[in-house]
Amino acid sequence: MSALIITTNYGVEQDELKKPLEGLREAGVPVTLAATEYSPVQSLVGDKDPGETFEPDTLLADVEMGDHAVLVIPGGTINADTLRTDDAAIALVRAFSADGRTIASICHGPWLLAEADVANGKTLTSYESIATDLRNAGATWQDVELKRCEAEGWTLLTSRNPGDLDAFSPAVVEAAR
């Protein structure tokens, strides 16, 4: 199986993209990085300082679900807020959940779950400032390092922030195998 990571080209939180990406590759899991444009993905550190750049493999609008076992949605306030307005990103989230596949999201990334209308009935975590948005979308929010939820016929893995990556990244790798 393989993994799909989706992002915009500006504003993704560096480590929330880098650590799962590296963990998957080190485990020998094929990874596709899809971005909104064919230009380098400029990450940020702490939503403000420029971080590393990453080369996307494909355009978000061209991605098909294919044999990807897991969809990874990293955070970063700008990234997550922009992704939730992207029709292709919304369609992928809906397709993965409808097909019973795993979605993993960290920090502000779960905003996209609310926008795609798949948070209802799920128990999850996120960056604390979007907890009300997720509750309003029908989710149960918990303040935990890693939350795995099997409700509604598909698996959701969520974490709160970059400090939770030591739990989040291995869970993503396990889901992709």
Side-chain angles (χ1 to χ4, degrees):
M1 296 301 267
S2 61
L4 173 63
I5 301 176
I6 61 172
T7 185
T8 60
N9 290 82
Y10 180 80
V12 65
E13 184 66 30
Q14 175 183 282
D15 287 348
E16 292 174 5
L17 170 57
K18 182 179 180 176
K19 293 202 180 214
L21 178 67
E22 288 178 345
L24 288 160
R25 288 183 174 157
E26 288 170 7
V29 176
V31 183
T32 300
L33 176 59
T36 50
E37 300 172 6
Y38 269 128
S39 60
V41 172
Q42 177 62 62
S43 71
L44 297 177
V45 177
D47 275 338
K48 61 182 179 193
D49 298 321
E52 295 178 38
T53 59
F54 301 83
E55 289 299 323
D57 300 306
T58 190
L59 290 175
L60 188 53
D62 293 341
V63 171
E64 294 182 13
M65 194 168 46
D67 66 347
H68 299 296
V70 61
L71 171 64
V72 182
I73 308 164
T77 308
I78 296 168
N79 177 65
D81 192 43
T82 305
L83 268 183
R84 69 184 178 148
T85 66
D86 187 285
D87 291 338
I90 293 167
L92 280 168
V93 167
R94 288 178 177 159
F96 268 75
S97 64
D99 199 49
R101 298 192 193 190
T102 299
I103 298 174
S105 189
I106 187 167
C107 200
H108 286 80
W111 256 342
L112 181 54
L113 305 173
E115 191 64 38
D117 200 26
V118 300
N120 189 36
K122 299 300 270 187
T123 300
L124 51 74
T125 194
S126 68
Y127 196 75
E128 187 177 13
S129 68
I130 68 167
T132 299
D133 296 332
L134 295 167
R135 286 186 192 109
N136 288 341
T140 299
W141 189 87
Q142 295 179 346
D143 185 11
V144 294
E145 179 181 51
L146 175 70
K147 181 62 187 174
R148 179 184 183 94
C149 179
E150 304 285 340
E152 306 299 318
W154 58 282
T155 301
L156 175 62
L157 303 170
T158 52
S159 286
R160 301 169 296 195
N161 56 54
D164 295 340
L165 283 164
D166 287 343
F168 182 76
S169 294
V172 169
V173 171
E174 181 181 323
R177 290 187 167 168

